[in-house]
Amino acid sequence: MLEKKKTEIAEKLHGKAKSEKNELAEKLLYKPKNGFDRLSAAEEKAMNAYCEDYKKFLDHGKTERLCVDYCVELAKKKGFQAYTAGMKLAAGDKVYYDNRGKGIMLAVIGSESLANGINIGAAHTDSPRLDLKPRPLYEESELAYFKTHHYGGVRKYQWVTIPLALHGVVTLADGRTIPVHIGEEEKEPQFIINDLLPHLGREQGKKPLNEAIPSESLNILIGSRPCGGENDKDRFKLGVLKILNEKYGITEEDFISAELEAVPAGTARDTGFDRSFISAYGHDDRVCAYAELAGIFDAKKPKKTAVCIFADKEEIGSEGVSGMISEAFEWFVGDLCKGQGVDLRDCFAHSFCVSADVTAAYDPNFADVYDVKNSAFINYGVGLCKYTGSGGKGGASDASAEVVGKLRKLLNDNKVFWQMAELGKTDAGGGGTVAKYMAKRNIDTIDAGVPVLSMHAPRETVAKIDCYMTYKMMKAVFEQA
Ligand code: MN
Ligand code: MN
């Protein structure tokens, strides 16, 4: 009897110690949770609705130009007007500025002066792809081809034997610019780059992955029906040009003033039996651009002016007139400041920017390139990156503790699922974003975005929870005081 009592007391004491330890562990240890263990039924419903709209955005926005067109269409429906220099604006007014059809900036005017700074979301809507060369058309062995020049970081072996569509514009000899879109609709033809058959691929198969498909072999098959008789020269090229001329009025010289992009054909699709993923071309970085767009549309009465910029050219270093380095941003925000008699430099000095760009999601199939303790995981929410760059943080903006702390608090206060991440192992490689170009403007900036599987592949994969949490982050950023 006594023995039983003793055991009972010991068990009770042990239980108490255990619960104290649990309490302490709860308080002191950091344990990120899978989003599915935290998501409410109401939020799941909102997430699914958001992701349906996001898929539409992807399907409309297969190129940076198409993204701008669709942003303008959506913004107009939400009461945004085209901004013109010197426009008189009041709190609550909504404007957008289309930068040459390739980049766009949107603003919702806050109730506070621009001298107090603005809340910025910066993303990019260009994605890796194959551009046509200035003189793309040739024929060989009675087949017609387009030569391509890849844009951004592509793994060339991924771009062969997949259906391709062509999108872009051609400025004709008479100065008119005409759109070209072919390969997305069911009834339209598509294009393809061919690969070697395995039966004859013994030598090719021995080459390193990055050398097996050289850039100059990324030639798109576009036709084989000749125009003219057996003895005519260039009759396969001519066969293609005849069709292009009939359809668009194009001559061969017109390719020189064209921007034609070959992108993976097809639409965004739910992926997995449970539909927890979306696979599509161009998540990088349309997944963050759309989060910003929906965030600025839904932001309720921002005190500080909210500004979104979707830059072009990020994938090739943010250069060019439509890239983030371009002073188009100064022109737009500067003109808003002029209207309030504010110095642009004062505005920038007090501003806050989320450089919303994708990060690498931990992939167990390639575990050796990740630091598992510092990776972004699927379904754990928006991935914050203090720094990007490569090696010893080379080329990184490296947000300060205070800036990271500010965003962390904002996300916790707004119940946004988030995680902290590095791209991969320190010396495995690296990457950059527009963050450093915003920081150069004297703007506090931090990277945060959706973790992506197979980044830069013709089809990339993201988790719906992470897309939705990035939207929730951007809405909170635009609404913050
Ligand atoms: Mn990106
Ligand atoms: Mn990228």
Side-chain angles (χ1 to χ4, degrees):
M1 197 64 187
L2 194 66
E3 278 308 301
K4 199 184 166 196
K5 195 86 185 169
K6 264 189 187 165
T7 317
E8 260 174 32
I9 290 168
E11 267 171 9
K12 221 174 190 176
L13 283 174
H14 179 70
K16 200 178 165 208
K18 206 174 155 189
S19 81
E20 266 171 21
K21 193 188 140 244
N22 287 349
E23 231 170 78
L24 208 58
E26 181 83 7
K27 202 169 136 191
L28 299 184
L29 296 176
Y30 174 54
K31 279 207 182 115
K33 278 195 184 122
N34 188 301
F36 277 111
D37 297 324
R38 306 171 66 189
L39 197 69
S40 70
E43 276 208 308
E44 185 159 358
K45 209 175 151 202
M47 169 189 92
N48 285 327
Y50 172 82
C51 287
E52 288 309 305
D53 291 339
Y54 170 49
K55 284 186 283 177
K56 277 182 214 146
F57 181 79
L58 283 172
D59 294 346
H60 281 91
K62 299 290 290 265
T63 67
E64 72 287 0
R65 285 179 188 268
L66 288 168
C67 278
V68 170
D69 292 350
Y70 194 53
C71 284
V72 169
E73 189 185 323
L74 294 178
K76 278 183 177 164
K77 281 186 195 155
K78 295 282 180 183
F80 284 69
Q81 327 167 44
Y83 185 74
T84 49
M87 200 168 167
K88 286 271 163 289
L89 296 172
D93 282 352
K94 301 164 180 180
V95 290
Y96 70 85
Y97 184 75
D98 174 345
N99 181 11
R100 299 165 169 89
K102 301 191 61 155
I104 188 167
M105 292 169 265
L106 301 101
V108 177
I109 307 303
S111 49
E112 285 182 17
S113 161
L114 287 162
N116 295 353
I118 58 179
N119 288 316
I120 306 164
H124 67 93
T125 45
D126 60 318
S127 294
R129 59 179 190 253
L130 304 178
D131 285 342
L132 296 199
K133 290 197 182 203
R135 294 187 62 187
L137 182 61
Y138 73 100
E139 66 174 67
E140 207 170 306
S141 308
E142 309 200 330
L143 299 171
Y145 290 96
F146 276 154
K147 287 206 74 66
T148 67
H149 193 132
H150 65 280
Y151 173 98
V154 302
R155 313 199 77 189
K156 287 147 210 155
Y157 71 89
Q158 294 175 336
W159 290 74
V160 294
T161 70
I162 59 165
L164 297 170
L166 267 186
H167 294 284
V169 298
V170 182
T171 299
L172 303 175
D174 64 9
R176 278 181 306 130
T177 297
I178 51 143
V180 172
H181 301 288
I182 185 161
E184 302 287 359
E185 301 299 328
E186 195 67 37
K187 284 180 185 154
E188 289 171 354
Q190 295 178 326
F191 308 96
I192 202 153
I193 297 169
N194 290 293
D195 195 5
L196 192 54
L197 61 167
H199 315 67
L200 297 177
R202 199 176 289 162
E203 286 308 309
Q204 185 204 36
K206 289 179 192 161
K207 289 182 184 168
L209 211 53
N210 288 340
E211 291 168 20
I213 305 286
S215 298
E216 295 296 343
S217 74
L218 291 175
N219 301 316
I220 304 175
L221 185 65
I222 52 167
S224 67
R225 181 188 286 268
C227 175
E230 270 176 283
N231 297 323
D232 290 325
K233 229 179 141 258
D234 293 331
R235 63 191 186 122
F236 295 91
K237 261 176 86 168
L238 202 59
V240 168
L241 271 174
K242 185 169 175 278
I243 295 167
L244 288 174
N245 190 263
E246 281 164 7
K247 194 161 179 201
Y248 305 104
I250 293 172
T251 67
E252 191 178 7
E253 192 182 301
D254 292 329
F255 284 119
I256 286 168
S257 50
E259 278 187 314
L260 292 168
E261 307 176 8
V263 302
T267 54
R269 294 291 297 264
D270 282 353
T271 299
F273 287 116
D274 56 12
R275 295 176 174 262
S276 57
F277 303 102
I278 302 170
S279 291
Y281 165 67
H283 283 310
D284 177 9
D285 184 32
R286 292 160 195 157
V287 70
C288 296
Y290 188 69
E292 287 184 6
L293 191 69
I296 206 168
F297 285 167
D298 294 350
K300 287 198 183 71
K301 293 204 165 115
K303 286 200 183 75
K304 285 187 178 161
T305 294
V307 174
C308 255
I309 172 161
F310 303 155
D312 178 29
K313 300 278 176 263
E314 193 278 341
E315 296 295 357
I316 57 167
S318 296
E319 309 284 350
V321 75
S322 49
M324 197 65 249
I325 296 173
S326 160
E327 291 203 13
F329 188 65
E330 276 76 3
W331 183 89
F332 179 62
V333 183
D335 211 64
L336 295 179
C337 284
K338 219 194 284 173
Q340 294 190 5
V342 169
D343 188 329
L344 175 66
R345 289 169 305 174
D346 290 334
C347 173
F348 279 173
H350 299 107
S351 293
F352 181 79
C353 174
V354 170
S355 157
D357 204 345
V358 298
T359 188
Y362 179 83
D363 187 336
N365 278 322
F366 303 100
D368 56 337
V369 296
Y370 298 91
D371 168 9
V372 73
K373 294 177 187 69
N374 285 282
S375 290
F377 292 89
I378 287 293
N379 291 327
Y380 276 71
V382 53
L384 275 52
C385 292
K386 185 178 186 297
Y387 45 83
T388 58
S390 62
K393 302 193 181 181
S397 165
D398 202 3
S400 69
E402 291 87 341
V403 169
V404 178
K406 181 177 167 160
L407 185 59
R408 171 187 160 206
K409 184 174 184 310
L410 182 76
L411 299 182
N412 285 338
D413 290 349
N414 286 277
K415 299 189 168 53
V416 179
F417 307 169
W418 62 276
Q419 52 187 327
M420 199 68 194
E422 290 192 340
L423 192 69
K425 271 189 182 159
T426 308
D427 284 329
T433 66
V434 301
K436 62 178 171 181
Y437 307 114
M438 298 311 270
K440 188 185 173 290
R441 294 175 158 104
N442 195 24
I443 299 170
D444 276 331
T445 303
I446 178 167
D447 279 301
V450 176
V452 177
L453 291 165
S454 311
M455 195 195 293
H456 282 204
R459 281 185 89 81
E460 307 171 306
T461 300
V462 296
K464 288 182 180 175
I465 288 183
D466 304 332
C467 299
Y468 180 63
M469 289 300 153
T470 304
Y471 152 74
K472 278 190 66 173
M473 168 185 74
M474 288 315 309
K475 183 169 176 285
V477 164
F478 291 134
E479 285 174 346
Q480 73 178 331

